[in-house]
């Protein structure tokens, strides 16, 4: 198994950080994922990003989108459907 050079590792970490920030903005508001603890979501998101990088993906947008998709597949569930008239803040 090849070990990355310090420069490669630094680039790898930078890509993960940028993709993480881009994808986290969506994950933290995703109704399919809100039932999960924030720490779990953050850890699993990072793992999905790192796996995509290890398979050769270098495009930040693709990394973010793939990680969100994988996280939703792994931890997501259908949000409760609340009739519009019964949603908080709605007046009858």
């Amino acid at each position: 198994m090849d070990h990355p050079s310090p420069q490669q590792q630094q680039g790898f970490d930078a890509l993960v950080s940028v993709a993480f920030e881009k994808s986290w903005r969506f994950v933290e508001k995703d109704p399919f994922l809100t039932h999960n603890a924030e720490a779990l979501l953050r850890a699993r998101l990072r793992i999905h990003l790192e796996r995509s990088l290890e398979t050769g993906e270098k495009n930040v947008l693709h990394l973010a989108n793939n990680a969100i998709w994988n996280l939703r597949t792994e931890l997501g569930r259908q949000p409760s459907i609340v009739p519009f008239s019964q949603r908080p803040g709605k007046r009858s």
Side-chain angles (χ1 to χ4, degrees), residues 16-73:
V16 169
S17 292
V18 171
F20 184 92
E21 291 305 318
K22 186 174 281 303
S23 56
W24 182 251
R25 286 183 265 155
F26 293 94
V27 169
E28 69 181 338
K29 295 175 184 149
D30 190 322
F32 290 92
L33 297 169
T34 57
H35 65 280
N36 294 286
E38 183 178 332
L40 173 67
L41 290 172
R42 287 179 165 278
R44 297 304 300 162
L45 182 61
R46 183 165 295 280
I47 287 169
H48 287 301
L49 289 166
E50 290 172 351
R51 284 186 184 153
S52 288
L53 264 172
E54 289 169 358
T55 63
E57 183 60 67
K58 300 285 189 253
N59 181 297
V60 172
L61 186 57
H62 291 165
L63 285 167
N65 287 338
N66 290 339
I68 293 166
W69 175 263
N70 290 328
L71 193 63
R72 289 180 98 196
T73 300

